Amino acid sequence: MSYIDNKITVEEYLKNIQIKSMREQYVSIIHQFDFFCTDEFNKTANQVLEDLAIDWEETHQSNKIILVLNKFVQWCLRDHPELTYYHGKYNHIKRKIGKKNPSTIKLYVNKIRQLLDDVWNVEVNVNKISRKIKIPKPEEEEPEAFTKKQMRVFLDSISNTKKLQFMVLKDTGMRIQELCQIRKKDVEIGGERIKITIQSRYTKTKRARICYITRETEPSFLRLYKNKEENELLFGTNEDSEIAKGAFQTSFAYYRDKIEKTHSEFGEKYQSNDRHKKTIHSIRSYTSTQCSIAIDETWGHEYIGHKKYLGQYIRNQDQFLEKFIRSENQLMIYDTSVIVDSDERVKKLEEEGEKTRQDMIVLTNVMNQLSSIKADNVKKELEIKELQEILANK
């Protein structure tokens, strides 16, 4: 069977990766490894990996692989201002190679090891790699959620079109890619609150879940909903959710940089990795935090899909909705009316309000009639007076 090649190329390997984001991740890592190999050995990444594979096949020793990967780790921990590259849609954005976060470096090493295994059949022991590759332990930063005040500042600073999209994110705690795939047919508007079913194929965890729209978002959401076809995307700008997600992230970064000029906290970064504290994920964190404040931390995680909650909400959808309504006041940033615990009380107040309105209409009609009668009496009195004067003159 010599006519069947038992080896594939890196390009063929990448083509076989179905998930676009994962494929792009590999491309980016190979790109970084290529810079390292050129800088350190004056060879391409492919040449270095090929040489490592040949050495392993001859010796079945992983020493050289571990040596190269350790050098790569140390290289990634340093800035390389002399090394630049271009990226973006038209390759017009210039970037310098900067030092990487330990978590990122760990990902790089794992993917390079997988490439050696999947493309060159180099089976390096994972435990050995973990022991002998010296990657610093990353500093742990507490993810920072939006506060209510910051959420209000952000939403007040963006266009009306984009505002609704971020309001829905704030209400539901959806991931960007989930929001970009929601269609009109996933929405139910006949209940006590607008319900959105996030299909399992949309989610990162491949588990379906439900979420709701708050009262303050409902009017704008319904206007959008009524102008869409049944199978049309509500917020996605492209059928490719990865492209739509990228557009969302670019939009968020634009508004964040704009707001930073007047609110410096939007420009703050973590010291450990130089990443912005305020990201789109901060909105998802806001949803979880506000639900935790309203009820408890378990509910905060359940609502945004951090736990396998599908079976529970199928059995107790009324309870799920009830918890959302109790959380609603915390989620809202414009409408701060107090949540009433009993729907019956709300109904009674609405009935009393309607009765008062009807009574006012009746009272207004009576007053108008009295006014007409009074005017008519004055007119008649004048006519009588005139007749009396005519009779007196005779």
Side-chain angles (χ1 to χ4, degrees):
M1 305 239 321
S2 58
Y3 61 90
I4 299 177
D5 196 349
N6 64 351
K7 185 178 176 183
I8 62 171
T9 65
V10 173
E11 290 72 22
E12 289 170 335
Y13 176 74
L14 294 176
K15 283 181 181 178
N16 289 331
I17 299 175
Q18 299 299 313
I19 302 173
K20 185 180 177 182
S21 59
M22 188 179 295
R23 185 167 62 249
E24 290 176 344
Q25 185 183 76
Y26 265 104
V27 170
S28 176
I29 292 169
I30 293 169
H31 186 58
Q32 291 291 321
F33 191 67
D34 197 56
F35 270 109
F36 158 72
C37 292
T38 303
D39 190 38
E40 189 74 23
F41 307 115
N42 200 27
K43 287 181 177 288
T44 66
N46 202 70
Q47 288 173 325
V48 171
L49 292 172
E50 184 76 36
D51 290 342
L52 289 173
I54 292 170
D55 180 75
W56 186 85
E57 190 173 348
E58 292 174 351
T59 66
H60 280 273
Q61 297 292 321
S62 58
N63 295 344
K64 285 190 177 180
I65 295 172
I66 290 170
L67 176 67
V68 169
L69 290 179
N70 266 321
K71 281 180 176 289
F72 182 49
V73 169
Q74 295 306 311
W75 186 87
C76 288
L77 288 170
R78 301 191 305 269
D79 286 320
H80 301 277
E82 73 284 0
L83 301 178
T84 59
Y85 65 98
Y86 292 85
H87 78 116
K89 186 176 181 181
Y90 303 105
N91 286 324
H92 66 289
I93 303 173
K94 187 177 181 179
R95 285 280 176 86
K96 294 178 181 179
I97 302 288
K99 64 181 179 180
K100 305 295 186 292
N101 182 269
S103 297
T104 303
I105 298 172
K106 185 176 181 180
L107 174 67
Y108 284 7
V109 169
N110 285 335
K111 295 301 182 185
I112 296 298
R113 183 195 61 77
Q114 287 176 25
L115 268 177
L116 281 168
D117 191 352
D118 295 342
V119 177
W120 283 277
N121 298 316
V122 177
E123 299 176 3
V124 182
N125 185 282
V126 177
N127 292 330
K128 191 174 183 180
I129 289 285
S130 299
R131 286 197 321 271
K132 294 201 171 187
I133 304 297
K134 307 301 181 183
I135 303 175
K137 188 176 180 180
E139 296 179 26
E140 293 187 7
E141 299 275 10
E142 188 68 27
E144 187 171 295
F146 274 97
T147 63
K148 274 201 169 194
K149 183 178 179 181
Q150 289 168 343
M151 185 63 71
R152 176 72 180 260
V153 168
F154 177 74
L155 291 172
D156 284 347
S157 302
I158 63 180
S159 67
N160 288 333
T161 304
K162 294 293 181 185
K163 186 172 185 175
L164 174 59
Q165 298 173 358
F166 287 108
M167 289 281 283
V168 172
L169 282 179
K170 178 263 299 179
D171 289 353
T172 62
M174 280 193 238
R175 296 178 178 89
I176 302 302
Q177 207 157 349
E178 293 169 349
L179 183 72
C180 291
Q181 296 179 83
I182 296 297
R183 299 179 186 273
K184 181 176 180 177
K185 64 183 181 182
D186 299 319
V187 179
E188 295 179 31
I189 62 172
E192 194 171 353
R193 293 290 184 275
I194 295 174
K195 182 174 82 171
I196 300 176
T197 300
I198 308 173
Q199 306 294 343
S200 58
R201 63 182 179 276
Y202 303 163
T203 69
K204 181 180 178 180
T205 58
K206 300 305 175 188
R207 297 189 185 107
R209 70 178 190 276
I210 56 175
C211 52
Y212 297 93
I213 298 298
T214 61
R215 297 191 306 273
E216 66 179 4
T217 308
E218 187 173 310
S220 298
F221 185 90
L222 285 175
R223 283 195 293 272
L224 173 72
Y225 176 86
K226 289 173 182 176
N227 289 322
K228 294 287 185 178
E229 299 296 329
E230 189 68 12
N231 199 43
E232 193 175 353
L233 293 168
L234 286 180
F235 299 104
T237 55
N238 195 296
E239 287 293 337
D240 187 329
S241 60
E242 286 285 347
I243 295 175
K245 174 185 174 183
F248 241 107
Q249 290 171 327
T250 301
S251 175
F252 178 86
Y254 166 78
Y255 286 116
R256 180 185 60 203
D257 294 344
K258 176 183 172 184
I259 299 168
E260 180 190 351
K261 295 173 183 176
T262 53
H263 296 79
S264 60
E265 66 268 27
F266 280 83
E268 292 178 359
K269 296 182 178 181
Y270 294 115
Q271 290 185 358
S272 62
N273 55 23
D274 200 38
R275 292 178 181 174
H276 278 94
K277 292 182 178 182
K278 291 292 181 291
T279 65
I280 288 186
H281 189 76
S282 300
I283 301 176
R284 181 170 158 84
S285 297
Y286 169 86
T287 310
S288 180
T289 301
Q290 298 306 318
C291 286
S292 297
I293 293 171
I295 300 180
D296 57 36
E297 192 172 333
T298 300
W299 165 244
H301 287 293
E302 286 172 346
Y303 183 61
I304 66 171
H306 274 174
K307 288 186 68 177
K308 187 176 180 181
Y309 195 61
L310 178 61
Q312 185 174 345
Y313 82 63
I314 285 177
R315 294 192 301 270
N316 302 305
Q317 285 196 24
D318 291 341
Q319 186 181 20
F320 199 82
L321 173 59
E322 186 239 334
K323 284 185 177 181
F324 173 79
I325 292 174
R326 286 168 56 194
S327 309
E328 191 173 30
N329 206 44
Q330 286 295 140
L331 290 169
M332 293 191 296
I333 60 170
Y334 295 107
D335 186 354
T336 56
S337 58
V338 177
I339 294 176
V340 180
D341 292 332
S342 170
D343 290 339
E344 288 300 318
R345 185 181 168 192
V346 173
K347 185 177 179 181
K348 184 177 179 181
L349 288 171
E350 288 175 345
E351 289 173 352
E352 289 176 355
E354 178 62 21
K355 186 176 184 303
T356 301
R357 191 178 71 84
Q358 293 297 334
D359 289 343
M360 289 298 294
I361 291 173
V362 171
L363 181 60
T364 301
N365 289 336
V366 170
M367 293 300 292
N368 288 337
Q369 290 175 12
L370 287 173
S371 180
S372 296
I373 292 170
K374 185 176 180 180
D376 190 50
N377 285 341
V378 170
K379 183 179 178 182
K380 287 178 179 178
E381 286 177 0
L382 288 173
E383 288 177 354
I384 291 171
K385 190 173 181 180
E386 287 175 359
L387 288 172
Q388 287 175 339
E389 288 178 354
I390 291 170
L391 290 172
N393 291 330
K394 286 182 178 181

